[in-house]
Amino acid sequence: MKKRILTGITTTGTPHIGNYLGAIKPALKLAGPDTESFFFLADYHALIKQTDASLIEASVKDIALAWLSSGLDTEHSNFYRQSDIPEVHELTWILSCSAAKGLLNRAHAYKAVVAENEASNADDDKAISMGLFSYPVLMAADILIFNATHVPVGPDQAQHMEMARDIAGKFNHTYSKIFNLPEALIQNEISVPGIDGRKMSKSYNNIIPFLCSEKDLQKAVSKIVTNSLEPGEPKDCNNCNLYELYSLFGNAEQIASFKQAYSDGISWGDAKKELFTVINSEIIPIREKYFELNAQPDLLNDLFADGARKVRPQAQELIEKLRDLVGISKIV
Ligand code: TRP
């Protein structure tokens, strides 16, 4: 069986260079000629965390453009929105009827909220929606609807992948061996520091954007927090967020000479200029593509329609089989 790679991106927020390095770039690398790849926008998952409709809409657009500008080839891979494949929800229900509640009780994301509630003496269920609780079943359905063989995800999703396998196995055992057990490809977490040195995250307000003008990129880089060593004073590249960022973009030779510049006492102003240059040279083609795509009003709607047209028949076929298996089909 050909390798079938599938991964979803929850549509909350705007991608930053941390997402680019940690998720987009590694996933695109996996999409070689001998693999089938499925990349989709998990917009129904986003509803669990975001109730502002306009922010969901903006995020779908930003994330789609980020993937497309970064080189996603929609001719050779399948790119679609979760919401354009309604069979996913039918499968979610079918799986929910056999998935064990006890399994879902153990989900880290759910347990974390329960623990917070307990710590603040609130009701255990405070702020816990059925969506949050059932999140792993919807994710399992995303994967199983296309019988994916390999699922690249971050380490935080390892447990959800085990649950997807468990849910698939239970169904196979109860009815018939219809689902392939998907394998998680756990991606090494690339630690990308934000401008304040903490992990780059929208919630810390410390991101460096990449779908922006050159000027805005420069502005974000200039805000990187450094110590107060003067020009001419040697600087330590260990535990230095600016240096770490540089090493995520530079090649070996550039990194070595940047390290030397630190020992030679480069000023923070100049170090930021060099960092900007090295990030910018990687981002230039992406930015150009982004502005070009962003100017085409119907592009995304057309692409989403095409994407759904390509993959949805497979989902429909699987649902037909499942209906037969569970006893919901034509009466004979
Ligand atoms: N839960 C994943 C995340 O937050 C997103 C996701 C939804 C996903 N459905 C998926 C990832 C299916 C892989 C496969 O990162």
Side-chain angles (χ1 to χ4, degrees):
M1 189 170 162
K2 209 173 181 184
K3 240 192 194 176
R4 179 172 278 197
I5 289 194
L6 174 147
T7 198
I9 313 103
T10 308
T11 54
T12 45
T14 299
H16 48 70
I17 63 167
N19 306 124
Y20 168 70
L21 292 171
I24 303 177
K25 229 175 137 178
L28 292 180
K29 238 191 202 161
L30 287 172
D34 51 342
T35 45
E36 275 183 285
S37 43
F38 286 62
F39 298 116
F40 72 95
L41 301 166
D43 47 1
Y44 270 118
H45 272 111
L47 300 191
I48 297 166
K49 296 189 218 152
Q50 180 60 264
T51 53
D52 185 330
S54 63
L55 290 183
I56 299 260
E57 210 180 302
S59 178
V60 167
K61 185 175 171 197
D62 287 346
I63 293 178
L65 288 175
W67 281 72
L68 295 166
S69 319
S70 304
L72 175 81
D73 173 0
T74 52
E75 289 283 309
H76 298 103
S77 55
N78 297 297
F79 185 56
Y80 57 95
R81 281 188 305 195
Q82 183 186 40
S83 55
D84 288 327
I85 318 294
E87 289 74 20
V88 166
H89 302 292
E90 195 165 343
L91 179 55
T92 300
W93 181 253
I94 293 174
L95 296 174
S96 295
C97 293
S98 61
K101 174 172 178 282
L103 176 76
L104 298 174
N105 282 342
R106 293 197 286 277
H108 301 317
Y110 161 70
K111 271 172 59 182
V113 189
V114 176
E116 257 173 52
N117 287 340
E118 276 170 0
S120 59
N121 282 325
D123 186 286
D124 272 7
D125 291 329
K126 187 178 163 211
I128 297 176
S129 64
M130 283 307 295
L132 175 68
F133 186 70
S134 314
Y135 185 109
V137 190
L138 179 57
M139 180 160 159
D142 290 331
I143 299 166
L144 302 176
I145 193 87
F146 295 119
N147 255 322
T149 60
H150 295 82
V151 182
V153 282
D156 62 321
Q157 298 296 313
Q159 190 197 29
H160 289 152
M161 285 307 301
E162 278 165 29
M163 290 183 163
R165 290 168 64 91
D166 198 305
I167 291 169
K170 176 112 187 264
F171 186 93
N172 285 351
H173 182 73
T174 311
Y175 292 97
S176 166
K177 208 170 167 289
I178 190 157
F179 294 122
N180 170 66
L181 299 193
E183 211 178 291
L185 298 175
I186 306 291
Q187 306 291 292
N188 282 338
E189 191 147 41
I190 300 182
S191 120
V192 182
I195 58 172
D196 60 357
R198 290 184 292 174
K199 179 183 153 90
M200 188 177 292
S201 160
K202 198 179 148 232
S203 48
Y204 293 150
N205 206 9
N206 66 355
I207 65 149
I208 299 179
F210 79 107
L211 300 179
C212 62
S213 66
E214 195 169 281
K215 219 166 154 199
D216 286 343
L217 176 63
Q218 204 156 19
K219 226 194 258 164
V221 170
S222 73
K223 284 195 195 137
I224 291 175
V225 178
T226 58
N227 60 29
S228 51
L229 288 172
E230 298 283 338
E233 289 186 84
K235 298 175 175 67
D236 186 1
C237 58
N238 296 308
N239 303 318
C240 174
N241 50 346
L242 201 158
Y243 182 84
E244 255 178 80
L245 281 165
Y246 190 94
S247 40
L248 290 167
F249 285 93
N251 59 33
E253 208 178 299
Q254 288 170 316
I255 296 169
S257 85
F258 200 54
K259 191 170 186 177
Q260 185 59 44
Y262 263 53
S263 316
D264 295 345
I266 187 173
S267 72
W268 288 127
D270 286 344
K272 285 177 182 178
K273 266 187 216 150
E274 293 209 14
L275 173 63
F276 164 75
T277 305
V278 78
I279 299 179
N280 197 41
S281 65
E282 178 151 349
I283 299 298
I284 287 170
I286 299 176
R287 179 188 299 127
E288 278 171 5
K289 188 99 197 257
Y290 167 69
F291 283 115
E292 179 198 318
L293 298 177
N294 200 23
Q296 302 174 38
D298 288 326
L299 177 95
L300 289 182
N301 286 327
D302 291 348
L303 277 178
F304 292 151
D306 276 354
R309 212 174 294 128
K310 271 202 305 194
V311 299
R312 200 171 162 206
Q314 298 179 51
Q316 287 167 325
E317 198 183 310
L318 181 82
I319 287 292
E320 283 306 311
K321 277 195 208 150
L322 288 172
R323 284 179 166 217
D324 277 345
L325 269 181
V326 301
I328 298 179
S329 52
K330 266 198 199 136
I331 306 291
V332 285

